[in-house]
Amino acid sequence: MIIIMLGAPGTGKGTVAGILQEKLGIKQVSTGDIFRKNIQEGTKLGKIADSYISKGNLVPDDITIGIVENRLKDDDVKDGIILDGFPRTVVQAEALDKILKESGKKVDLVVNLTTPEEEIIERIVNRRVCSNSECKTIYNLQLNPPKVEGICDKCGSPLVQRKDDNEETVKSRIDNYMKQTSPLVEYYNKQGNLYNAVVSKSINKMGKDVAEDIAKMLK
């Protein structure tokens, strides 16, 4: 099964994808994690990606498509994948459809999450992520704090704040999302595989609730 997560930064894509990974046994793959790994290791790709990400801009299509195409060939995703952070543009979506078609696959479900902008900013500024690349559990200092300050509940590793998780960069990322990524909603709506969900404390529905609904729907 091929699942895609759509939504502006901070809408809970990573949270929903992580829960679906546990419940459905399908590997979650975040392009953001791939980029951050390359940035930390100082690779050529990492340096190129960092020049865009650090300013709140999207990494060019050709670089991103190449990374994802290579990732889709790995054994751990042969039975399915949850793509978090890809595609971000219609060009990427069309490329993904072509790549999947060549192996007799297709996108089965596209989850589109929406959240009020003021909640997104508050959520991202307060976001902390487990530094263990095998865990990557996401916390929020206000909504979902760890039991011990600065320590992951699951694996005991230190929690970190991503350097681009600040208000200025977040606003830029939201603006870029609306300009470049939101057309994907219409693209997948036409394909008939779009699932819309609102994630907001104002309606008392968070990412874990949406994930539970999707898991029930797919089982």
Side-chain angles (χ1 to χ4, degrees):
M1 176 173 285
I2 311 294
I3 299 175
I4 290 173
M5 301 299 306
L6 291 184
T11 52
K13 297 188 299 295
T15 297
V16 174
I19 294 173
L20 290 179
Q21 175 178 253
E22 293 180 7
K23 290 186 171 295
L24 303 177
I26 302 172
K27 183 73 174 179
Q28 172 195 5
V29 175
S30 165
T31 50
D33 288 339
I34 298 174
F35 288 140
R36 278 186 285 276
K37 182 175 184 294
N38 279 270
I39 290 171
Q40 290 174 355
E41 295 176 354
T43 65
K44 181 179 179 180
L45 172 62
K47 292 176 181 177
I48 296 174
D50 191 39
S51 68
Y52 291 91
I53 294 172
S54 62
K55 297 175 183 176
N57 296 323
L58 298 179
V59 178
D61 288 336
D62 57 340
I63 297 173
T64 306
I65 291 168
I67 283 183
V68 174
E69 183 172 13
N70 288 334
R71 186 67 179 87
L72 288 172
K73 297 175 182 176
D74 292 339
D75 289 339
D76 63 340
V77 297
K78 63 181 180 180
D79 295 326
I81 189 170
I82 302 171
L83 284 168
D84 173 14
F86 182 91
R88 289 183 182 269
T89 67
V90 172
V91 170
Q92 292 179 7
E94 291 172 341
L96 177 61
D97 283 344
K98 182 179 179 181
I99 293 168
L100 292 175
K101 187 176 181 180
E102 290 175 353
S103 58
K105 299 178 181 179
K106 64 179 179 61
V107 174
D108 297 290
L109 180 67
V110 180
V111 180
N112 178 45
L113 305 179
T114 57
T115 300
E117 183 172 333
E118 62 272 15
E119 279 193 49
I120 289 176
I121 294 173
E122 179 183 37
R123 190 176 297 169
I124 290 183
V125 170
N126 285 285
R127 181 167 62 186
R128 299 296 183 271
V129 184
C130 179
S131 57
N132 180 357
S133 61
E134 297 298 318
C135 180
K136 301 181 295 185
T137 301
I138 300 172
Y139 297 86
N140 184 285
L141 299 183
Q142 294 185 342
L143 300 175
N144 178 38
K147 295 177 181 178
V148 178
E149 184 177 351
I151 301 297
C152 177
D153 295 346
K154 292 187 177 180
C155 71
S157 298
L159 301 181
V160 297
Q161 182 178 26
R162 295 169 181 166
K163 68 177 183 178
D164 53 337
D165 280 358
N166 59 77
E167 186 170 345
E168 182 179 358
T169 303
V170 170
K171 287 183 177 179
S172 176
R173 288 163 65 194
I174 293 173
D175 184 56
N176 277 329
Y177 175 81
M178 295 307 297
K179 290 178 180 177
Q180 300 183 52
T181 312
S182 59
L184 283 172
V185 174
E186 181 61 24
Y187 179 85
Y188 286 117
N189 188 44
K190 289 180 178 178
Q191 290 191 4
N193 51 10
L194 188 69
Y195 178 91
N196 291 299
V198 177
V199 179
S200 174
K201 59 184 180 182
S202 65
I203 60 171
N204 197 32
K205 190 152 192 173
M206 306 309 291
K208 62 181 181 179
D209 303 309
V210 173
E212 292 285 350
D213 290 345
I214 295 172
K216 291 177 182 177
M217 180 181 71
L218 294 177
K219 286 186 175 180

